[in-house]
């Protein structure tokens, strides 16, 4: 079955605009499914525009990793929330994406991912990155979501 954004007046079709949302949003929310049971998590992330993927880090075990191992397919959402307008509408820009979640083993990719993540979430990224030594990074669990499909929608979002 195929679905599309029904409100064409609110649809974002420009991939660049969707990428801007993935870069600017504070976190993404990702839905997973195992044995017909849904689960979701919010994740602080770094968005790699060139590879169209999301990097995150997490604890080495837990429910989302069990879900990922059973089924890497995810559906996610990134939101820029502009709040209630003067007209009492709710203003937002959001992107939905589907993709596959992988756990990264390769140290050089972990290094790249952590740089993306820390540069996104930290106000003083270089000082923080300098403290992350390879030994520490090798023990850190990091994941990547390869995005294969995106849709965008906005409602009374400020002009870009
Ligand atoms: C803004 C934001 C950013 C976050 N960034 C990250 C990140 O970068 N990396 C990361 O790993 N996590 C992040 N989290 C936490 C994340 O959303 C999950 O809570 C966490 O990843 C759960 O790990 P798990 O699946 O291993 O849960 P487990 O520890 O295995 O817990 C399983 C059970 O605990 C309960 N549970 C788990 N998480 C929550 C929750 N947040 N609220 C209420 N109940 C819960 C559920 O009932 C679930 O069935 C973030 C949360 C927020 C709100």
């Amino acid at each position: 079955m195929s679905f599309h954004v029904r409100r064409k007046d609110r649809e974002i079709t420009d991939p660049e605009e969707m990428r801007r949302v993935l870069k600017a949003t504070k976190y993404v929310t990702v839905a997973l499914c195992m044995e017909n049971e849904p689960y979701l998590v919010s994740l602080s992330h770094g968005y790699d525009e060139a590879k169209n993927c999301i990097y995150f880090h997490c604890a080495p075990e837990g429910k989302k990793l069990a879900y990922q191992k059973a089924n890497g397919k995810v559906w996610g959402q990134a939101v820029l929330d502009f709040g209630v307008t003067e007209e009492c509408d709710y203003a937002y820009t959001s992107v939905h994406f589907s993709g596959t979640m992988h756990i990264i083993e390769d140290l050089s990719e972990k290094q790249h991912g952590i740089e993306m993540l820390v540069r996104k979430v930290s106000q003083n990224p270089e000082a923080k990155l300098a403290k992350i030594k390879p030994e520490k990074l090798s023990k850190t669990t990091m994941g990547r979501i390869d995005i294969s499909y995106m849709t965008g929608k906005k409602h009374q979002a400020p002009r870009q």
Side-chain angles (χ1 to χ4, degrees):
M1 219 182 297
S2 174
F3 295 95
H4 302 279
V5 175
R6 284 176 299 106
R7 290 290 301 262
K8 293 295 165 200
D9 55 324
R10 295 182 184 170
E11 184 177 20
I12 301 169
T13 53
D14 179 5
E16 182 54 36
E17 197 173 344
M18 292 184 231
R19 287 195 278 271
R20 276 201 295 269
V21 177
L22 284 162
K23 270 197 284 188
T25 187
K26 282 188 180 168
Y27 59 89
V28 293
T29 300
V30 175
L32 302 116
C33 191
M34 177 171 73
E35 292 171 5
N36 212 26
E37 284 294 327
Y39 183 55
L40 67 77
V41 286
S42 294
L43 298 168
S44 306
H45 70 299
Y47 175 58
D48 184 329
E49 202 173 346
K51 296 181 182 162
N52 199 26
C53 72
I54 284 167
Y55 289 101
F56 64 94
H57 83 317
C58 62
E61 57 187 59
K63 189 167 173 177
K64 73 175 157 315
L65 291 187
Y67 269 62
Q68 179 276 332
K69 206 171 169 187
N71 176 8
K73 286 181 79 171
V74 300
W75 192 272
Q77 178 176 260
V79 178
L80 299 180
D81 178 345
F82 304 113
V84 177
T85 67
E86 290 295 318
E87 297 80 30
C88 267
D89 277 322
Y90 208 93
Y92 65 86
T93 306
S94 60
V95 166
H96 277 199
F97 56 88
S98 68
T100 309
M101 184 186 283
H102 305 271
I103 299 308
I104 305 170
E105 304 295 344
D106 180 70
L107 189 58
S108 61
E109 190 182 5
K110 278 187 170 182
Q111 184 65 41
H112 173 69
I114 201 80
E115 285 174 16
M116 289 270 154
L117 177 61
V118 173
R119 290 204 172 105
K120 166 82 172 66
V121 299
S122 172
Q123 292 191 334
N124 189 5
E126 301 314 319
K128 290 209 170 60
L129 285 169
K131 290 183 194 157
I132 303 173
K133 304 294 177 205
E135 311 80 67
K136 187 176 174 187
L137 193 56
S138 66
K139 292 178 192 144
T140 302
T141 302
M142 293 209 53
R144 185 189 73 236
I145 299 170
D146 292 325
I147 297 175
S148 51
Y149 173 75
M150 291 190 285
T151 56
K153 189 174 172 183
K154 65 179 163 188
H155 187 42
Q156 300 210 355
R159 286 179 188 277
Q160 306 248 347

